[in-house]
Amino acid sequence: METTSVWKMTIKPHPEEGREPFEWCRKRGIVGVGWSYAYEGCSSVPKNPLRRLKRREKGRVPQPVKRLSEEVSTGDFVWLQYKGKYFLCRVKKGEMLYGPEIGRSFLANDIGHARKVAWAEIREDLVPGIVQRALIVQRMLQRIRCSRSEIGMFRVLHRESKKKPGWKPAFNPSRMSRQIKSMNLRAFNAQMTPDDWEDLVALWLQSRGWMLIKSSCFRSKPRFEFRMVRAGSSARTAYIQVKTGARQLRPLEYEEDVGPETIVYLLSTAPEPYPGESVRGVKTLKPSELKTWVSNHPDLIPSTLGLRLSIA
């Protein structure tokens, strides 16, 4: 069965001064990479363009060109970010475009290899965390490992945003609440990403008076996902660790992080999430309790999760 892949792409070649390759590609309905100099002086596409490129590149085809030609397939999704905006493209049927067949300004924009796509601009609040993190990576073209439910969400996002720029799904809180309550925990978990669980834990704790320290969300301290604080109680600081899938969390491993004013919250979605003995100050959370809480507060559901649940 043919599968759909998801990619992140950066359109950042070496154009002539004053040129905007990203906008040029968008207007032409393509995504592309550089190495256009291989076709300088060509009025038409050479018989073996990659062989010509290989000669110019000392016996190798650059990895981004190779991937765009051999791995990116019809129907695949390509995510891009440009000047703070997010775009989702769907690869159209057709072979790779080379040099002169891309457009008369291919050399000036340094776009030597391209694929035809359908462009759609996506609202930032509908771009999942897995995509936002991937787009930070400097690589020109890289695969994003996504679940089937995420790919299903991308289909809806692309289709609706292409028809209506700025599209955002309209959620009915009462209907969403009933939908979540009707799902068993396994079905609910199947729609949740690691980011979703982290968001849900943060929302639940904030509803209990904890406040998120934003700067702690970055991966500089991989031992914990983030840190929270609360006034008016003996425990003033909480560290949060979240693991999904089959990854267990042993409370005893976090005993050293607990102190007179510090506690730890753990969430694991494993079948047997917290092996070993319990530890004072290390609090373990039940996914079922969080599911119940969010079903009673559907108006707080993040847009990406709400869209995915609606599709489900």
Side-chain angles (χ1 to χ4, degrees):
M1 184 176 66
E2 188 174 332
T3 58
T4 300
S5 293
V6 182
W7 304 84
K8 67 80 58 174
M9 190 174 193
T10 302
I11 298 178
K12 197 175 181 181
H14 299 88
E16 293 179 359
E17 187 175 352
R19 296 282 183 169
E20 290 282 355
F22 187 97
E23 294 295 349
W24 187 76
C25 287
R26 189 181 175 192
K27 288 177 183 177
R28 301 192 70 81
I30 60 171
V31 292
V33 295
W35 293 275
S36 62
Y37 74 93
Y39 312 108
E40 190 172 6
C42 296
S43 58
S44 60
V45 179
K47 187 174 182 180
N48 277 298
L50 291 185
R51 185 182 297 173
R52 180 185 177 95
L53 174 65
K54 194 173 181 179
R55 284 201 307 268
R56 300 291 297 272
E57 283 292 306
K58 300 179 181 179
R60 68 178 186 89
V61 174
Q63 190 67 23
V65 176
K66 190 176 178 67
R67 280 184 174 167
L68 191 62
S69 173
E70 299 177 3
E71 298 180 42
V72 176
S73 303
T74 301
D76 282 0
F77 290 104
V78 181
W79 280 96
L80 306 99
Q81 183 184 24
Y82 184 67
K83 294 184 177 179
K85 295 181 179 180
Y86 293 88
F87 301 87
L88 179 58
C89 297
R90 193 94 194 255
V91 180
K92 293 182 176 181
K93 188 176 182 180
E95 301 296 325
M96 179 98 101
L97 302 175
Y98 298 93
E101 65 182 338
I102 298 173
R104 286 191 302 175
S105 303
F106 83 94
L107 278 172
N109 287 281
D110 189 26
I111 299 294
H113 308 83
R115 297 290 296 272
K116 292 182 179 179
V117 298
W119 283 74
E121 184 174 343
I122 308 297
R123 292 173 56 105
E124 183 177 1
D125 59 345
L126 292 176
V127 182
I130 189 173
V131 170
Q132 294 195 28
R133 287 194 298 275
L135 288 169
I136 296 173
V137 178
Q138 294 299 311
R139 290 179 185 172
M140 198 173 298
L141 183 62
Q142 177 174 304
R143 193 186 301 268
I144 307 175
R145 303 291 178 184
C146 296
S147 66
R148 289 173 62 185
S149 63
E150 287 170 327
I151 292 172
M153 182 177 74
F154 298 160
R155 288 193 181 97
V156 176
L157 272 176
H158 184 267
R159 182 182 68 234
E160 299 301 325
S161 299
K162 188 171 178 293
K163 289 191 297 186
K164 184 180 179 181
W167 173 83
K168 183 177 182 178
F171 297 126
N172 182 311
S174 297
R175 184 182 302 165
M176 184 66 67
S177 176
R178 291 193 299 271
Q179 180 180 350
I180 295 173
K181 288 177 180 178
S182 69
M183 302 171 79
N184 60 36
L185 183 58
R186 181 169 182 165
F188 179 74
N189 190 35
Q191 300 303 322
M192 297 284 286
T193 67
D195 286 331
D196 292 332
W197 279 115
E198 289 181 27
D199 288 343
L200 191 49
V201 170
L203 287 168
W204 182 81
L205 286 170
Q206 286 178 100
S207 74
R208 282 156 175 73
W210 290 97
M211 293 180 287
L212 178 68
I213 303 299
K214 180 181 177 296
S215 60
S216 70
C217 297
F218 300 100
R219 299 295 191 258
S220 58
K221 292 184 177 180
R223 183 169 175 76
F224 296 103
E225 312 301 345
F226 48 85
R227 177 166 54 92
M228 305 186 82
V229 295
R230 183 173 67 178
S233 66
S234 57
R236 296 171 56 85
T237 301
Y239 289 96
I240 290 80
Q241 177 60 279
V242 177
K243 294 298 181 187
T244 56
R247 300 177 70 179
Q248 298 173 315
L249 292 172
R250 295 180 179 274
L252 199 58
E253 293 181 5
Y254 295 89
E255 186 175 25
E256 65 184 47
D257 300 295
V258 176
E261 296 185 350
T262 305
I263 61 175
V264 172
Y265 281 98
L266 303 178
L267 174 72
S268 168
T269 62
E272 296 183 16
Y274 311 112
E277 60 186 273
S278 60
V279 174
R280 184 180 178 85
V282 177
K283 301 183 180 295
T284 55
L285 303 176
K286 294 181 179 179
S288 58
E289 292 179 354
L290 294 175
K291 174 181 174 293
T292 299
W293 179 82
V294 78
S295 71
N296 292 323
H297 299 83
D299 51 325
L300 296 179
I301 295 175
S303 298
T304 50
L305 175 57
L307 176 57
R308 197 157 51 250
L309 289 171
S310 298
I311 296 169

